[in-house]
Coordinates of all heavy atoms in Angstrom, one line a residue:
M1 N -32.7 3.2 -38.8 CA -32.1 4.5 -39.0 C -31.5 4.9 -37.6 O -32.2 4.9 -36.6 CB -33.2 5.5 -39.3 CG -32.6 7.0 -39.3 SD -34.0 8.1 -39.7 CE -34.9 8.1 -38.1
R2 N -30.1 5.1 -37.6 CA -29.5 5.4 -36.4 C -29.9 6.8 -36.0 O -30.0 7.8 -36.9 CB -28.0 5.2 -36.4 CG -27.7 3.8 -36.5 CD -26.2 3.6 -36.0 NE -25.7 2.5 -36.6 CZ -24.5 2.0 -36.1 NH1 -23.9 2.4 -35.2 NH2 -24.0 0.9 -36.6
R3 N -29.9 7.1 -34.7 CA -30.3 8.5 -34.3 C -29.0 8.9 -33.2 O -28.7 8.0 -32.4 CB -31.4 8.4 -33.5 CG -32.7 8.1 -34.2 CD -33.9 7.6 -33.4 NE -35.1 7.5 -34.0 CZ -35.5 6.4 -34.8 NH1 -34.6 5.4 -34.9 NH2 -36.5 6.3 -35.4
F4 N -28.5 10.0 -33.5 CA -27.4 10.4 -32.6 C -27.5 11.3 -31.6 O -26.7 11.6 -30.7 CB -26.3 11.0 -33.6 CG -25.8 10.1 -34.6 CD1 -26.4 9.9 -35.8 CD2 -24.7 9.2 -34.4 CE1 -26.0 8.9 -36.8 CE2 -24.3 8.3 -35.2 CZ -24.9 8.1 -36.4
E5 N -28.9 11.8 -31.3 CA -29.2 12.5 -30.2 C -29.7 11.7 -29.0 O -29.9 10.5 -29.1 CB -30.2 13.6 -30.6 CG -31.7 13.1 -30.9 CD -31.7 12.4 -32.2 OE1 -30.8 12.2 -32.9 OE2 -32.9 12.0 -32.4
Y6 N -29.9 12.3 -27.9 CA -30.5 11.6 -26.8 C -31.8 11.2 -27.1 O -32.6 11.8 -27.8 CB -30.7 12.7 -25.5 CG -31.4 12.2 -24.3 CD1 -30.7 11.5 -23.4 CD2 -32.7 12.3 -24.2 CE1 -31.3 11.0 -22.2 CE2 -33.4 11.7 -23.1 CZ -32.7 11.2 -22.2 OH -33.2 10.6 -21.1
P7 N -32.2 10.0 -26.6 CA -31.5 8.9 -25.7 C -30.8 7.9 -26.5 O -30.6 6.9 -25.9 CB -32.7 8.5 -24.9 CG -33.8 8.3 -25.8 CD -33.7 9.5 -26.9
Y8 N -30.6 8.1 -27.8 CA -30.1 7.1 -28.8 C -28.6 7.0 -28.6 O -28.0 5.8 -28.8 CB -30.7 7.2 -30.1 CG -32.3 7.3 -30.0 CD1 -32.8 8.5 -30.3 CD2 -33.1 6.1 -29.8 CE1 -34.2 8.6 -30.2 CE2 -34.5 6.3 -29.7 CZ -35.1 7.5 -29.9 OH -36.3 7.7 -29.9
F9 N -28.0 8.2 -28.8 CA -26.5 8.2 -28.7 C -25.8 7.6 -29.9 O -24.7 7.1 -29.8 CB -25.9 7.8 -27.4 CG -26.6 8.5 -26.2 CD1 -27.2 7.9 -25.4 CD2 -26.3 9.9 -26.1 CE1 -27.8 8.7 -24.2 CE2 -26.9 10.6 -25.1 CZ -27.6 9.9 -24.1
G10 N -26.5 7.3 -31.0 CA -25.8 6.7 -32.1 C -25.6 5.2 -32.0 O -24.9 4.6 -32.9
K11 N -26.0 4.6 -31.0 CA -25.9 3.2 -30.8 C -26.9 2.3 -31.6 O -27.9 2.9 -32.1 CB -26.0 2.7 -29.3 CG -24.9 3.4 -28.5 CD -25.0 2.8 -27.0 CE -23.9 3.4 -26.3 NZ -23.8 2.8 -24.8
R12 N -26.5 1.1 -31.9 CA -27.3 0.3 -32.9 C -28.4 -0.4 -32.3 O -29.5 -0.5 -33.0 CB -26.3 -0.8 -33.5 CG -26.9 -1.5 -34.6 CD -26.0 -2.4 -35.3 NE -26.8 -3.2 -36.3 CZ -26.2 -4.1 -37.2 NH1 -24.9 -4.1 -37.3 NH2 -27.0 -4.6 -38.1
Y13 N -28.3 -0.9 -31.2 CA -29.4 -1.7 -30.6 C -30.2 -1.0 -29.6 O -29.6 -0.4 -28.6 CB -29.0 -3.1 -30.0 CG -28.3 -3.9 -31.1 CD1 -26.9 -3.9 -31.2 CD2 -28.9 -4.6 -32.0 CE1 -26.2 -4.7 -32.4 CE2 -28.4 -5.3 -32.9 CZ -27.0 -5.4 -33.2 OH -26.5 -6.2 -34.1
L14 N -31.5 -1.1 -29.7 CA -32.4 -0.3 -28.8 C -33.2 -1.4 -28.0 O -33.9 -2.2 -28.7 CB -33.3 0.5 -29.5 CG -34.4 1.4 -28.8 CD1 -34.6 2.7 -29.4 CD2 -35.6 0.6 -28.4
Y15 N -33.2 -1.4 -26.7 CA -33.8 -2.2 -25.9 C -35.1 -1.5 -25.2 O -34.9 -0.5 -24.6 CB -33.1 -2.8 -24.7 CG -33.7 -3.8 -23.9 CD1 -33.7 -5.2 -24.3 CD2 -34.3 -3.6 -22.7 CE1 -34.3 -6.2 -23.7 CE2 -34.9 -4.5 -21.9 CZ -35.0 -5.8 -22.4 OH -35.5 -6.8 -21.7
D16 N -36.4 -2.1 -25.6 CA -37.5 -1.6 -25.1 C -37.9 -2.2 -23.8 O -38.2 -3.5 -23.7 CB -38.7 -1.8 -26.0 CG -40.0 -1.6 -25.6 OD1 -40.3 -1.2 -24.5 OD2 -40.9 -1.5 -26.6
I17 N -37.6 -1.5 -22.7 CA -37.5 -2.1 -21.3 C -38.9 -2.8 -20.9 O -38.9 -3.9 -20.6 CB -37.2 -1.1 -20.3 CG1 -35.7 -0.7 -20.7 CG2 -37.1 -1.7 -18.9 CD1 -35.3 0.5 -19.8
P18 N -40.1 -2.1 -21.0 CA -41.3 -2.7 -20.6 C -41.7 -3.9 -21.4 O -42.3 -5.0 -21.0 CB -42.4 -1.7 -20.8 CG -41.6 -0.4 -21.1 CD -40.2 -0.7 -21.4
N19 N -41.4 -4.0 -22.7 CA -41.8 -5.1 -23.6 C -40.6 -6.0 -23.8 O -40.8 -7.0 -24.5 CB -42.1 -4.5 -24.9 CG -43.3 -3.6 -24.9 OD1 -44.4 -4.0 -24.4 ND2 -43.3 -2.4 -25.5
K20 N -39.4 -5.8 -23.1 CA -38.4 -6.8 -23.2 C -38.0 -7.0 -24.7 O -37.6 -8.3 -25.1 CB -38.7 -8.1 -22.4 CG -38.8 -7.9 -21.0 CD -39.1 -9.3 -20.3 CE -38.8 -9.3 -18.9 NZ -39.7 -8.3 -18.1
T21 N -38.1 -6.1 -25.6 CA -37.9 -6.3 -26.9 C -36.6 -5.6 -27.4 O -36.5 -4.3 -27.1 CB -39.1 -5.8 -27.7 OG1 -40.2 -6.5 -27.4 CG2 -38.9 -6.1 -29.3
L22 N -35.7 -6.2 -28.2 CA -34.5 -5.5 -28.7 C -34.7 -5.4 -30.2 O -35.1 -6.1 -31.0 CB -33.4 -6.5 -28.4 CG -32.0 -5.9 -28.6 CD1 -31.7 -5.0 -27.4 CD2 -31.0 -7.0 -28.6
H23 N -34.4 -3.9 -30.5 CA -34.5 -3.5 -32.0 C -33.2 -3.3 -32.6 O -32.2 -2.8 -31.7 CB -35.4 -2.3 -32.0 CG -36.7 -2.4 -31.6 ND1 -37.7 -2.9 -32.6 CD2 -37.3 -2.1 -30.5 CE1 -38.8 -2.9 -31.9 NE2 -38.8 -2.5 -30.6
D24 N -33.0 -3.6 -33.8 CA -31.7 -3.2 -34.5 C -32.0 -2.0 -35.3 O -32.8 -2.0 -36.4 CB -31.3 -4.4 -35.3 CG -30.1 -4.1 -36.2 OD1 -29.6 -2.9 -36.2 OD2 -29.6 -5.0 -36.9
L25 N -31.5 -0.8 -34.9 CA -31.9 0.4 -35.6 C -31.4 0.5 -37.1 O -32.0 1.2 -37.8 CB -31.3 1.6 -34.8 CG -32.0 1.8 -33.5 CD1 -31.6 3.2 -32.9 CD2 -33.6 1.8 -33.5
V26 N -30.4 -0.3 -37.3 CA -29.9 -0.2 -38.7 C -30.9 -0.9 -39.7 O -31.0 -0.5 -40.9 CB -28.5 -1.1 -38.8 CG1 -28.0 -1.3 -40.3 CG2 -27.4 -0.3 -38.1
N27 N -31.6 -1.8 -39.1 CA -32.8 -2.6 -40.0 C -34.1 -2.1 -39.6 O -35.1 -2.9 -40.0 CB -32.5 -4.1 -39.9 CG -31.2 -4.6 -40.4 OD1 -30.9 -4.0 -41.6 ND2 -30.5 -5.4 -39.8
E28 N -34.2 -1.1 -38.9 CA -35.5 -0.6 -38.5 C -36.5 -0.5 -39.5 O -36.2 -0.1 -40.6 CB -35.3 0.8 -37.8 CG -36.6 1.4 -37.3 CD -36.3 3.0 -37.0 OE1 -35.1 3.3 -36.8 OE2 -37.4 3.6 -36.8
T29 N -37.7 -0.9 -39.3 CA -38.9 -0.7 -40.1 C -40.0 0.1 -39.5 O -39.9 0.5 -38.3 CB -39.5 -2.1 -40.4 OG1 -40.3 -2.7 -39.2 CG2 -38.5 -3.1 -40.8
D30 N -40.9 0.5 -40.2 CA -42.0 1.4 -39.7 C -42.8 0.6 -38.6 O -43.3 1.3 -37.6 CB -43.0 1.7 -40.8 CG -42.6 2.7 -41.7 OD1 -41.4 3.3 -41.5 OD2 -43.0 2.9 -42.9
E31 N -42.9 -0.7 -38.6 CA -43.6 -1.4 -37.6 C -42.8 -1.5 -36.3 O -43.5 -1.8 -35.3 CB -43.9 -2.9 -38.1 CG -44.8 -3.0 -39.2 CD -44.3 -4.0 -40.3 OE1 -43.3 -3.7 -41.0 OE2 -45.0 -5.0 -40.5
C32 N -41.5 -1.1 -36.3 CA -40.9 -1.1 -34.9 C -41.4 0.0 -34.1 O -41.3 0.0 -32.9 CB -39.5 -0.8 -35.2 SG -38.6 -2.3 -36.0
K33 N -41.9 1.1 -34.7 CA -42.5 2.2 -34.0 C -41.5 2.8 -32.9 O -41.9 3.0 -31.8 CB -43.9 1.9 -33.3 CG -44.9 1.5 -34.2 CD -46.3 1.2 -33.7 CE -47.4 1.0 -34.5 NZ -47.1 0.4 -35.9
I34 N -40.3 2.8 -33.4 CA -39.3 3.4 -32.5 C -39.6 4.7 -31.9 O -39.4 4.9 -30.6 CB -38.0 3.4 -33.2 CG1 -37.5 2.0 -33.7 CG2 -36.8 4.2 -32.4 CD1 -37.1 1.1 -32.5
N35 N -40.2 5.5 -32.7 CA -40.5 6.9 -32.2 C -41.5 7.0 -31.2 O -41.8 8.0 -30.5 CB -40.9 7.9 -33.4 CG -39.6 8.1 -34.4 OD1 -38.5 8.1 -33.8 ND2 -39.9 8.2 -35.6
E36 N -42.3 5.8 -30.9 CA -43.3 5.8 -30.0 C -42.9 5.3 -28.6 O -43.6 5.2 -27.7 CB -44.5 5.0 -30.5 CG -45.2 5.6 -31.8 CD -46.3 4.7 -32.2 OE1 -46.9 3.9 -31.6 OE2 -46.8 5.0 -33.4
I37 N -41.6 4.7 -28.6 CA -41.2 4.3 -27.4 C -40.6 5.5 -26.5 O -39.9 6.3 -27.1 CB -39.9 3.3 -27.6 CG1 -40.5 2.1 -28.6 CG2 -39.4 2.7 -26.3 CD1 -39.2 1.2 -28.9
H38 N -41.1 5.6 -25.3 CA -40.8 6.7 -24.5 C -39.2 6.5 -24.1 O -38.7 5.4 -23.9 CB -41.6 6.6 -23.2 CG -41.4 7.8 -22.4 ND1 -40.5 8.2 -21.4 CD2 -42.1 9.1 -22.4 CE1 -40.6 9.3 -20.8 NE2 -41.7 9.8 -21.5
E39 N -38.6 7.8 -24.0 CA -37.2 7.7 -23.8 C -36.8 7.1 -22.4 O -35.7 6.5 -22.2 CB -36.6 9.1 -23.7 CG -37.3 10.0 -22.7 CD -36.8 11.6 -22.8 OE1 -36.7 11.9 -24.0 OE2 -36.6 12.1 -21.7
D40 N -37.7 7.1 -21.4 CA -37.4 6.4 -20.1 C -37.5 4.9 -20.2 O -37.0 4.2 -19.4 CB -38.4 6.9 -19.1 CG -38.3 8.2 -18.6 OD1 -37.2 8.8 -18.9 OD2 -39.1 8.8 -18.1
D41 N -38.0 4.4 -21.4 CA -38.2 2.9 -21.5 C -37.1 2.4 -22.5 O -37.1 1.2 -22.9 CB -39.5 2.6 -22.2 CG -40.7 3.0 -21.2 OD1 -40.5 3.0 -20.0 OD2 -41.8 3.2 -21.7
I42 N -36.0 3.1 -22.7 CA -35.0 2.8 -23.7 C -33.6 2.5 -23.0 O -33.3 3.4 -22.2 CB -34.8 3.9 -24.8 CG1 -36.2 3.9 -25.6 CG2 -33.6 3.7 -25.5 CD1 -36.2 5.0 -26.7
D43 N -33.1 1.4 -23.4 CA -31.7 1.3 -23.0 C -31.0 1.0 -24.4 O -31.5 0.3 -25.3 CB -31.4 0.0 -22.2 CG -31.3 0.5 -20.7 OD1 -31.2 1.6 -20.4 OD2 -31.5 -0.5 -19.9
M44 N -29.8 1.6 -24.6 CA -29.1 1.5 -25.8 C -27.8 0.7 -25.7 O -27.1 0.8 -24.8 CB -28.7 2.8 -26.5 CG -29.9 3.7 -26.8 SD -31.0 3.0 -28.0 CE -29.9 2.9 -29.5
Y45 N -27.5 -0.3 -26.8 CA -26.3 -1.0 -26.8 C -25.6 -0.9 -28.0 O -26.3 -0.8 -29.1 CB -26.7 -2.5 -26.4 CG -27.3 -2.6 -25.1 CD1 -28.6 -2.5 -24.8 CD2 -26.5 -2.5 -23.9 CE1 -29.3 -2.6 -23.6 CE2 -27.1 -2.6 -22.6 CZ -28.4 -2.7 -22.5 OH -29.0 -2.6 -21.2
S46 N -24.3 -1.0 -28.1 CA -23.5 -0.9 -29.3 C -23.4 -2.4 -29.9 O -23.4 -2.3 -31.2 CB -22.1 -0.5 -29.0 OG -22.1 0.8 -28.5
H47 N -23.5 -3.3 -29.1 CA -23.2 -4.7 -29.6 C -24.2 -5.7 -29.0 O -24.5 -5.4 -27.7 CB -21.8 -5.2 -29.3 CG -20.7 -4.3 -30.1 ND1 -20.5 -4.3 -31.3 CD2 -19.9 -3.4 -29.4 CE1 -19.5 -3.5 -31.6 NE2 -19.2 -2.8 -30.4
L48 N -24.6 -6.6 -29.7 CA -25.6 -7.6 -29.1 C -24.8 -8.4 -28.0 O -25.5 -8.9 -27.0 CB -26.0 -8.6 -30.2 CG -27.2 -8.3 -31.0 CD1 -27.5 -9.5 -31.9 CD2 -28.3 -8.0 -30.1
N49 N -23.6 -8.7 -28.0 CA -22.9 -9.4 -26.9 C -22.4 -8.5 -25.9 O -21.6 -9.0 -25.1 CB -21.8 -10.3 -27.5 CG -20.8 -9.4 -28.3 OD1 -20.8 -8.2 -28.4 ND2 -19.7 -10.1 -28.8
E50 N -22.9 -7.3 -25.9 CA -22.4 -6.4 -24.7 C -22.8 -7.0 -23.4 O -24.0 -7.3 -23.2 CB -22.9 -5.1 -24.9 CG -22.1 -3.9 -24.5 CD -22.7 -2.6 -24.9 OE1 -22.7 -2.3 -26.1 OE2 -23.1 -1.8 -24.0
L51 N -21.9 -7.1 -22.6 CA -22.1 -7.7 -21.2 C -23.3 -7.0 -20.5 O -24.1 -7.7 -19.9 CB -20.8 -7.8 -20.5 CG -20.9 -8.8 -19.2 CD1 -21.2 -10.2 -19.6 CD2 -19.7 -8.7 -18.4
A52 N -23.4 -5.8 -20.6 CA -24.2 -5.0 -19.9 C -25.7 -5.3 -20.2 O -26.6 -5.3 -19.4 CB -24.1 -3.5 -20.2
L53 N -25.8 -5.7 -21.5 CA -27.1 -6.1 -21.9 C -27.7 -7.3 -21.2 O -28.7 -7.3 -20.7 CB -27.2 -6.5 -23.5 CG -28.4 -7.1 -24.1 CD1 -29.5 -6.2 -24.0 CD2 -28.2 -7.5 -25.5
L54 N -26.9 -8.4 -21.1 CA -27.2 -9.6 -20.4 C -27.3 -9.5 -18.9 O -28.1 -10.0 -18.3 CB -26.2 -10.7 -20.7 CG -26.0 -11.0 -22.2 CD1 -24.8 -12.0 -22.4 CD2 -27.4 -11.6 -22.7
L55 N -26.5 -8.6 -18.3 CA -26.6 -8.3 -16.9 C -27.9 -7.5 -16.6 O -28.5 -7.9 -15.5 CB -25.4 -7.6 -16.4 CG -24.1 -8.3 -16.4 CD1 -23.0 -7.4 -16.0 CD2 -24.1 -9.5 -15.4
E56 N -28.2 -6.6 -17.3 CA -29.3 -5.8 -16.9 C -30.6 -6.4 -17.4 O -31.6 -6.1 -16.8 CB -29.2 -4.3 -17.5 CG -28.0 -3.5 -17.0 CD -27.6 -2.3 -17.8 OE1 -28.5 -1.8 -18.5 OE2 -26.4 -1.9 -17.7
H57 N -30.6 -7.0 -18.5 CA -31.8 -7.6 -19.1 C -31.5 -9.1 -19.5 O -31.3 -9.3 -20.8 CB -32.3 -6.8 -20.4 CG -32.3 -5.3 -20.0 ND1 -33.3 -4.8 -19.2 CD2 -31.6 -4.3 -20.4 CE1 -33.1 -3.6 -19.1 NE2 -32.2 -3.2 -19.9
P58 N -31.4 -10.1 -18.7 CA -31.2 -11.4 -19.0 C -32.2 -12.0 -20.1 O -31.8 -12.9 -20.8 CB -31.2 -12.2 -17.8 CG -31.5 -11.2 -16.8 CD -31.6 -9.9 -17.3
V59 N -33.3 -11.5 -20.1 CA -34.4 -12.0 -21.0 C -34.7 -10.8 -21.9 O -35.0 -9.8 -21.6 CB -35.7 -12.3 -20.2 CG1 -36.7 -12.7 -21.2 CG2 -35.4 -13.4 -19.2
Y60 N -34.6 -11.2 -23.3 CA -35.0 -10.2 -24.2 C -35.5 -10.9 -25.4 O -35.2 -12.1 -25.7 CB -34.0 -9.2 -24.6 CG -32.8 -9.8 -25.5 CD1 -32.9 -9.9 -26.9 CD2 -31.6 -10.3 -24.8 CE1 -31.9 -10.4 -27.6 CE2 -30.6 -10.7 -25.5 CZ -30.6 -10.8 -26.9 OH -29.6 -11.3 -27.7
Y61 N -36.5 -10.4 -26.2 CA -36.9 -11.0 -27.4 C -36.6 -10.1 -28.6 O -36.8 -8.9 -28.7 CB -38.5 -11.0 -27.3 CG -39.1 -11.5 -26.1 CD1 -39.7 -10.9 -25.0 CD2 -39.0 -12.9 -25.9 CE1 -40.0 -11.4 -23.9 CE2 -39.5 -13.5 -24.8 CZ -40.0 -12.9 -23.7 OH -40.4 -13.4 -22.5
P62 N -36.0 -10.7 -29.6 CA -35.6 -10.0 -30.8 C -36.9 -9.6 -31.5 O -37.8 -10.2 -31.7 CB -34.9 -11.1 -31.7 CG -34.7 -12.2 -30.9 CD -35.8 -12.2 -29.8
C63 N -36.9 -8.2 -32.0 CA -38.0 -7.6 -32.7 C -38.2 -8.4 -33.9 O -37.2 -8.6 -34.7 CB -37.8 -6.2 -33.0 SG -39.0 -5.5 -34.1
P64 N -39.4 -9.0 -34.2 CA -39.5 -9.7 -35.4 C -39.4 -8.9 -36.8 O -39.2 -9.6 -37.8 CB -41.0 -10.3 -35.3 CG -41.5 -9.3 -34.5 CD -40.6 -8.8 -33.6
H65 N -39.5 -7.6 -36.7 CA -39.4 -6.7 -37.9 C -37.9 -6.3 -38.4 O -37.6 -6.4 -39.4 CB -40.2 -5.5 -37.6 CG -41.6 -5.9 -37.3 ND1 -42.4 -6.4 -38.0 CD2 -42.2 -5.6 -36.1 CE1 -43.6 -6.6 -37.4 NE2 -43.6 -6.0 -36.2
C66 N -37.1 -6.1 -37.2 CA -35.8 -5.6 -37.6 C -34.6 -6.6 -37.3 O -33.5 -6.4 -37.7 CB -35.5 -4.3 -36.9 SG -35.6 -4.4 -35.1
M67 N -34.9 -7.7 -36.5 CA -33.7 -8.5 -36.2 C -33.7 -9.7 -37.0 O -32.7 -10.6 -36.7 CB -34.0 -9.0 -34.6 CG -34.0 -7.8 -33.6 SD -32.3 -7.2 -33.4 CE -31.7 -8.4 -32.3
K68 N -34.6 -9.9 -37.9 CA -34.6 -11.1 -38.8 C -33.2 -11.3 -39.4 O -32.6 -12.2 -39.5 CB -35.7 -11.1 -39.7 CG -37.0 -11.7 -39.2 CD -38.0 -11.7 -40.2 CE -38.4 -10.3 -40.6 NZ -39.7 -10.3 -41.4
K69 N -32.8 -10.2 -40.2 CA -31.7 -10.1 -41.1 C -30.5 -10.5 -40.3 O -29.6 -11.2 -40.9 CB -31.5 -8.8 -41.8 CG -32.8 -8.4 -42.6 CD -32.7 -7.0 -43.0 CE -33.9 -6.5 -43.7 NZ -34.1 -5.1 -43.9
E70 N -30.4 -10.0 -39.1 CA -29.2 -10.3 -38.4 C -28.9 -11.8 -38.1 O -27.8 -12.3 -38.2 CB -29.3 -9.6 -37.1 CG -28.0 -9.5 -36.3 CD -26.9 -8.7 -36.9 OE1 -27.4 -7.7 -37.8 OE2 -25.7 -8.8 -36.7
E71 N -30.0 -12.6 -38.0 CA -29.9 -14.1 -37.8 C -29.4 -14.7 -39.0 O -28.9 -15.8 -38.9 CB -31.2 -14.5 -37.2 CG -31.6 -14.1 -35.8 CD -33.0 -14.5 -35.4 OE1 -33.7 -15.2 -36.2 OE2 -33.4 -14.0 -34.4
E72 N -29.7 -14.2 -40.1 CA -29.4 -15.0 -41.3 C -27.9 -14.8 -41.7 O -27.5 -15.5 -42.5 CB -30.3 -14.4 -42.6 CG -31.8 -14.9 -42.3 CD -32.7 -14.0 -43.2 OE1 -32.2 -13.3 -44.0 OE2 -33.9 -14.2 -43.1
K73 N -27.2 -13.9 -41.1 CA -25.9 -13.7 -41.7 C -25.0 -14.8 -41.1 O -25.2 -15.4 -40.1 CB -25.3 -12.4 -41.0 CG -25.7 -11.2 -41.8 CD -25.3 -9.9 -41.2 CE -25.8 -8.7 -41.7 NZ -25.7 -7.4 -40.9
Ligands
ZN101 ZN1 -37.7 -3.5 -34.4

């Protein structure tokens, strides 16, 4: 579920900074526990290939709950 308020800004991908985990909010599940991630621990991206993502976080792990579907396309 996309969220349009701070700190999500309607972007699709949420990066959990301490856990180095990337979530796809379009395919979000309850197990993602997005609402439990502190706003200071969040970076948002519109696209997976956004250069800023790789520059700021060269290592990330796709969330096993919401990123599966994306790989199958
Ligand atoms: Zn997730």
Side-chain angles (χ1 to χ4, degrees):
M1 175 183 73
R2 290 209 208 189
R3 298 156 171 80
F4 292 92
E5 70 281 7
Y6 176 88
Y8 309 103
F9 303 118
K11 294 188 176 184
R12 178 167 182 179
Y13 297 100
L14 182 152
Y15 186 82
D16 176 344
I17 297 169
N19 294 312
K20 294 185 165 53
T21 302
L22 197 69
H23 296 273
D24 178 357
L25 295 187
V26 171
N27 294 315
E28 176 188 347
T29 71
D30 289 344
E31 288 140 296
C32 292
K33 299 187 173 21
I34 297 297
N35 291 327
E36 295 179 17
I37 303 173
H38 193 274
E39 61 185 40
D40 288 345
D41 293 339
I42 290 174
D43 267 345
M44 296 300 298
Y45 298 94
S46 300
H47 303 285
L48 270 186
N49 57 359
E50 211 171 295
L51 191 59
L53 168 66
L54 296 174
L55 289 177
E56 294 167 24
H57 310 292
V59 175
Y60 70 86
Y61 306 105
C63 170
H65 306 296
C66 59
M67 295 291 283
K68 274 185 295 194
K69 294 170 188 167
E70 193 66 22
E71 291 173 5
E72 288 166 7
K73 279 177 192 163

